[in-house]
Amino acid sequence: MNSEKQYIDLYRQCRSMINDHSSAVMNAVRDEAFERFKTIGFPTRKVEHYKYTNLQEVFAPDLGLNLNRLNIPVNPYNVFRCEVPNLSTQLYFMVNDVFYDKVLPKVELPDGVIVDSLRKISERQPELVAKYYNTLLSSKNGGEEALNTMFAQDGLFIYVPKNVKVNTAIQVINIMRSDIDLMVNRRVLIVVEDGAEVRLLFCDHAIDNHNFLSTQVVEAFVGENATLDIYNIEETHVNNTLVSTTYIDQKANSRVNHSALTLHNGLTRNTVNLVFRGEGAECNCNGCAIADKEQHVDNNIVIDHATAHCESKVLYKYVLDDKAVGAFAGRVLVRKDAQKTTSAMTNQNLCAVKTAHMYTQPMLEIYADDVKCSHGSTVGQLNDAALFYMRQRGISLSEARLLLEFAFVGEVVDNIKLQPLRDRLHYLVEKRFRGELNKCEGCRQCR
């Protein structure tokens, strides 16, 4: 319990400070999370769910936490420009774990739509937030989620009322900013009521070249006949560690598209837990990871078909070079009464050199007898025949490799519905393969 002791001691010493700078709704679940964390601690690699990422090692360093909520001197609207042409998003910022409200964009959201600080909204409308906050985290959740609940003081709240359609995508830039090595604990609460529609784009960037450790817990509630699209893009640096868990609760006839693209990182552990609560619901989970040097990307997907007549599709692709490590674990659970389930899970991976390592574990757990389910995974290298064919036509070896790798991950990018974002990602992916994407795209401080 060496990694855990520093956090147990810190919580005991700073509990009053943490509560003073948060809301009653968030504070109400804090002590219970602390008791759970003391009991279970961080999982070890002996636990199957965490087999490929050593969280004990991740949380061992002694990092700073801004529990007293000292002001971070940065105006993200001045230092950051996202260069996604024609996307015309409604742009908001999170600086570390705080919703940036000193300057707000001039946007026109439909009546009743909320994009704001989780802490402030839970103070103004406590009944609304308390109805949802922390309710998707089960008693079986891991120690990293309990830690997040212990220390999270703010976050993002997105609320779309019944039958409201947000036609313009909402973009949230998560900026890591600090003069010291820093740990951040961020919460995101998304509520899309019956018949509502919204598209969300989350981009992770790091301004400073310090060691950052971010824990993030996302809870998303998708009502009947509602549609939620979530796109996550990580472009940080090799000193950044992200441990993120997303819970998605889907009601009848709802639609969810969830995409996670890791273009630059240090160590990333993404977990998605999705549950179908009503018939006729559909989800598409797509992911892409490009890693080299000693980068580490671990995606863990769990889809629970708790009811009948639902459809899930999962597609994740990795391209690994140098000494990079990739991991994918996917589990589709089809419960006894979930007849007429349709599910397909695919994980395909390229290891450019022998020193790169990929671990893949797609799983089906089926207790119903009238279903259509499939899963599969591949790990391989570039096709020698294709490389030879391209070189015979005057294409250099490096360019041939780039074209094949680019085409390999293109299927994931093509699944993105926002055409300007899709086009921009094709450009960023190509730059990544060329080794040109070494800084946070669009950040003026990096130039």
Side-chain angles (χ1 to χ4, degrees), residues 415-426:
N415 284 336
I416 292 176
K417 293 184 177 181
L418 286 171
Q419 182 176 346
L421 176 61
R422 183 169 63 244
D423 294 341
R424 180 61 175 172
L425 282 172
H426 278 301

Side-chain angles (χ1 to χ4, degrees), residues 150-319:
M150 288 161 49
F151 289 110
Q153 294 170 285
D154 196 4
L156 177 68
F157 181 62
I158 297 176
Y159 174 77
V160 186
K162 186 175 181 180
N163 295 324
V164 171
K165 297 182 180 180
V166 183
N167 294 320
T168 304
I170 295 171
Q171 184 176 8
V172 180
I173 309 294
N174 296 319
I175 290 184
M176 300 300 295
R177 170 73 175 92
S178 177
D179 295 328
I180 62 170
D181 294 348
L182 185 69
M183 177 180 181
V184 168
N185 299 285
R186 183 190 307 118
R187 292 298 283 244
V188 179
L189 180 57
I190 303 166
V191 180
V192 186
E193 291 193 336
D194 297 352
E197 295 183 10
V198 67
R199 291 169 295 175
L200 306 175
L201 170 59
F202 294 95
C203 303
D204 284 4
H205 297 271
I207 290 180
D208 300 297
N209 194 29
H210 287 284
N211 294 316
F212 291 111
L213 169 57
S214 302
T215 75
Q216 176 174 268
V217 174
V218 181
E219 295 177 276
F221 298 82
V222 188
E224 292 187 10
N225 298 298
T227 299
L228 172 63
D229 291 355
I230 299 179
Y231 306 108
N232 299 285
I233 303 171
E234 184 179 5
E235 292 180 69
T236 54
H237 54 55
V238 295
N239 296 323
N240 191 81
T241 297
L242 172 65
V243 180
S244 176
T245 303
T246 299
Y247 288 91
I248 302 175
D249 186 274
Q250 281 192 248
K251 296 294 180 60
N253 301 306
S254 61
R255 304 288 181 270
V256 167
N257 295 293
H258 183 279
S259 297
L261 296 95
T262 303
L263 300 182
H264 247 301
N265 75 315
L267 183 149
T268 299
R269 159 74 185 204
N270 290 319
T271 302
V272 177
N273 290 284
L274 186 146
V275 181
F276 291 114
R277 301 289 186 187
E279 295 188 4
E282 297 179 6
C283 79
N284 289 280
C285 295
N286 298 284
C288 167
I290 302 170
D292 52 16
K293 304 180 180 69
E294 295 183 357
Q295 295 168 328
H296 181 110
V297 184
D298 182 354
N299 285 289
N300 196 292
I301 314 297
V302 179
I303 297 179
D304 185 350
H305 285 262
T307 189
H309 295 276
C310 294
E311 181 177 356
S312 64
K313 295 180 181 178
V314 178
L315 174 63
Y316 270 72
K317 291 192 173 187
Y318 291 65
V319 177

Side-chain angles (χ1 to χ4, degrees), residues 132-153:
Y132 300 100
Y133 182 72
N134 210 57
T135 60
L136 294 184
L137 277 68
S138 70
S139 59
K140 298 180 180 179
N141 65 304
E144 75 279 18
E145 298 164 45
L147 180 80
N148 178 279
T149 306
M150 288 161 49
F151 289 110
Q153 294 170 285

